[in-house]
Amino acid sequence: MIKVASYNMHKGVGADRRCNPERIVDVLREIDADIIALQEADRRFGTRERVIPLHLLDEQSDWKPVAVGRRIGSMGWHGNAILVRKSAEVVECDAIHLPALEPRGAVTADIRLAGSAIRVVGMHLDLSGLWRRRQAAAILAHLAHRNTPSPTLLMGDLNEWTAAAGCLRDFGRDFRFAATGPSFHARRPIGRLDRIMASTDLTIVDCGVHASPAARKASDHLPIWAILEPAR
């Protein structure tokens, strides 16, 4: 079994409007997932530097970033990043260009962890329903053209307020949704904007929203998590 998580870390800016990457790492340590998809992991303007300094991960965590960054100082691609255990092997990774009016992207990695292989996609979709559906189609097309099939996990902030329409219907044709619950806004969560979706060759054993006191302060989203195992 592996534990995964998705977290819109809001560029490290918490409820007190202070940027504090140490709090983000503290929350990640509380969750203790094997694979983590981060959104808003890089600053938006200028050189788009990573919010979490690499030394924090090196010295205070058991994770390493997957090398999907296209800018020297960035952790990810358009703010999307993937963290994996330092013991994991990253077989392949890439950035996915998404159609959008404003810069949007997704990231993907093939990971081998404790003898198991899994394909992970991290994403942060548009505020517009029309563009979300176009972006979902681009991600699904990218996966369909991969030469080697693999158990696949999609995670991220979908920005979808509806219960089963729009891009959720598109993803739902091939993926199962973890029933994690509402994660936005962190102080009073009512929206299920953050999602974990697994291919049918994976079983979702358990899942939830990480609503610790630290998580309620660290970002405007709460992290979500799931425990997965191969389907039998």
Side-chain angles (χ1 to χ4, degrees):
M1 290 192 293
I2 63 168
K3 187 175 185 180
V4 301
S6 180
Y7 191 14
N8 184 330
M9 52 179 278
H10 198 225
K11 303 178 186 66
V13 178
D16 56 3
R17 300 184 181 180
R18 293 192 301 114
C19 180
N20 190 332
E22 289 86 354
R23 286 191 299 204
I24 299 297
V25 176
D26 288 343
V27 172
L28 296 180
R29 283 203 301 261
E30 289 179 350
I31 303 167
D32 196 29
D34 301 302
I35 302 171
I36 303 164
L38 295 176
Q39 302 85 53
E40 300 194 19
D42 298 324
R43 304 184 193 279
R44 185 172 184 180
F45 300 108
T47 57
R48 298 183 182 178
E49 294 179 343
R50 63 182 67 88
V51 173
I52 302 175
L54 289 181
H55 73 83
L56 276 183
L57 294 178
D58 290 339
E59 299 168 5
Q60 300 184 28
S61 85
D62 186 37
W63 302 289
K64 60 184 178 184
V66 174
V68 294
R70 296 296 181 91
R71 293 172 179 261
I72 293 176
S74 300
M75 182 177 287
W77 169 246
H78 291 306
N80 294 284
I82 299 173
L83 303 181
V84 297
R85 295 285 189 196
K86 291 176 180 175
S87 59
E89 177 190 359
V90 179
V91 179
E92 187 178 354
C93 64
D94 199 6
I96 305 174
H97 294 265
L98 298 182
L101 289 176
E102 61 176 5
R104 293 279 176 175
V107 291
T108 180
D110 285 8
I111 299 162
R112 185 166 293 278
L113 182 67
S116 298
I118 188 167
R119 180 166 293 148
V120 179
V121 177
M123 68 188 78
H124 189 183
L125 301 189
D126 206 278
L127 296 174
S128 160
L130 174 62
W131 285 102
R132 281 196 299 273
R133 296 200 67 184
R134 291 174 177 174
Q135 291 161 2
I139 291 167
L140 292 170
H142 178 90
L143 292 172
H145 286 88
R146 299 295 295 270
N147 293 327
T148 306
S150 178
T152 301
L153 185 67
L154 312 182
M155 299 191 284
D157 179 355
L158 272 56
N159 269 318
E160 181 62 73
W161 286 89
T162 63
C167 69
L168 298 184
R169 183 182 301 149
D170 300 329
F171 285 125
R173 295 189 184 100
D174 299 309
F175 292 86
R176 299 169 179 167
F177 289 84
T180 52
S183 56
F184 181 83
H185 188 281
R187 287 174 292 181
R188 191 177 181 181
I190 58 171
R192 296 190 178 196
L193 304 187
D194 304 286
R195 297 281 183 162
I196 294 174
M197 303 165 278
S199 57
T200 55
D201 45 6
L202 291 170
T203 297
I204 301 167
V205 177
D206 196 7
C207 61
V209 178
H210 186 76
S212 71
R216 292 186 183 277
K217 295 177 182 177
S219 172
D220 60 346
H221 286 245
L222 295 172
I224 59 173
W225 58 271
I227 296 175
L228 308 167
E229 66 180 10
R232 298 176 181 177

